[in-house]
């Protein structure tokens, strides 16, 4: 199907048109998005958002200004850039995931991992009491940030901020 045949179907909000449009353009739009957003899950979310925007705003497309693909490409690129600039995305990139540390505890049979874990705990003991409590919950007891928030009865955002600050303090002690 050509874009000239597709546009009237999209304008009529024909259900087939969405599937056809997705099949025709999703791979190339995803390539543009994933070039900007490296995490596959995030890029897939942005792609979904892009197709919803295209579907809802097709009336604003003007064929005298350019091809449909170019218009869609601009929406994809701008949406990806908006995502990169968003405060939520930037904060999610700053917060360390517990996945970064779980591997230390996963294989307790390896002597090196046991030594690393013991060494880290010694440095954690040098932190402020609130950091010790938070790191104990998040990294040594395996709590999620939400579970730690519930346990400590503080907002999730505070847990994330304190976690980041405590990890930075820990880095200072470790001189990393």
């Amino acid at each position: 199907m050509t874009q000239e045949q597709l546009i009237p179907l999209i304008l009529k909000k024909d259900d087939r048109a969405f599937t056809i449009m997705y099949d025709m353009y999703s791979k190339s739009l995803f390539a543009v998005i994933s070039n900007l957003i490296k995490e596959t899950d995030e890029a897939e979310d942005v792609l979904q958002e892009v197709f919803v925007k295209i579907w809802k705003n097709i009336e604003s497309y003007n064929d005298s200004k350019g091809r449909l693909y170019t218009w869609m490409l601009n929406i994809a690129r701008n949406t990806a850039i908006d995502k990169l600039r968003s405060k939520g995305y930037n904060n999610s990139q700053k917060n360390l995931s517990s996945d970064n540390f779980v591997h230390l505890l996963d294989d307790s049979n390896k002597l090196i991992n046991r030594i690393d874990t013991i060494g880290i705990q010694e440095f954690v003991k040098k932190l402020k009491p609130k950091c010790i409590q938070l790191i104990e919950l998040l990294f040594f007891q395996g709590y999620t940030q939400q579970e730690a928030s519930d346990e400590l009865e503080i907002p999730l955002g505070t847990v994330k901020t304190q976690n980041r600050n405590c990890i930075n303090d820990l880095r200072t002690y470790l001189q990393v």
Side-chain angles (χ1 to χ4, degrees):
M1 179 174 285
T2 66
Q3 84 172 20
E4 290 77 21
Q5 295 168 324
L6 181 61
I7 293 169
L9 293 174
I10 297 172
L11 286 168
K12 292 179 191 173
K13 302 297 184 194
D14 185 323
D15 291 339
R16 293 179 307 135
F18 189 88
T19 304
I20 294 167
M21 176 179 65
Y22 187 87
D23 290 343
M24 287 175 67
Y25 298 106
S26 62
K27 288 180 183 175
S28 56
L29 294 180
F30 183 74
V32 169
I33 293 166
S34 61
N35 207 12
L36 293 167
I37 299 177
K38 301 303 180 198
E39 297 83 19
T40 304
D41 291 343
E42 292 285 340
E44 288 171 349
D45 289 345
V46 171
L47 179 65
Q48 181 178 0
E49 187 179 334
V50 165
F51 274 102
V52 170
K53 284 182 179 181
I54 291 167
W55 188 254
K56 287 183 177 181
N57 298 308
I58 190 64
E59 292 82 16
S60 67
Y61 168 68
N62 184 343
D63 63 349
S64 67
K65 292 184 178 181
R67 295 178 44 85
L68 176 65
Y69 175 71
T70 307
W71 180 75
M72 294 169 75
L73 197 63
N74 284 327
I75 291 173
R77 188 178 57 80
N78 291 340
T79 304
I81 290 170
D82 290 347
K83 180 69 170 183
L84 288 172
R85 290 179 179 165
S86 73
K87 185 176 180 178
Y89 181 80
N90 286 325
N91 285 340
S92 74
Q93 299 304 302
K94 290 178 186 175
N95 287 332
L96 292 175
S97 169
S98 61
D99 295 341
N100 294 336
F101 298 94
V102 170
H103 72 279
L104 293 174
L105 302 174
D106 278 346
D107 190 1
S108 61
N109 294 328
K110 289 188 177 178
L111 180 61
I112 293 171
N113 285 343
R114 285 197 303 238
I115 291 170
D116 284 347
T117 303
I118 292 168
I120 295 291
Q121 280 185 321
E122 290 304 315
F123 283 103
V124 169
K125 290 178 184 175
K126 295 179 182 180
L127 296 172
K128 299 173 204 160
K130 70 178 182 179
C131 286
I132 293 171
Q133 186 180 25
L134 185 61
I135 288 176
E136 178 69 29
L137 289 174
L138 292 174
F139 300 110
F140 296 113
Q141 294 183 21
Y143 279 50
T144 64
Q145 290 180 336
Q146 182 62 56
E147 291 169 340
S149 169
D150 296 340
E151 177 73 22
L152 299 173
E153 297 178 347
I154 57 176
L156 178 60
T158 303
V159 167
K160 291 179 178 186
T161 301
Q162 286 181 357
N163 180 31
R164 185 173 52 250
N165 292 339
C166 293
I167 294 299
N168 286 335
D169 292 346
L170 189 58
R171 281 187 181 132
T172 302
Y173 287 126
L174 294 170
Q175 298 176 350
V176 177

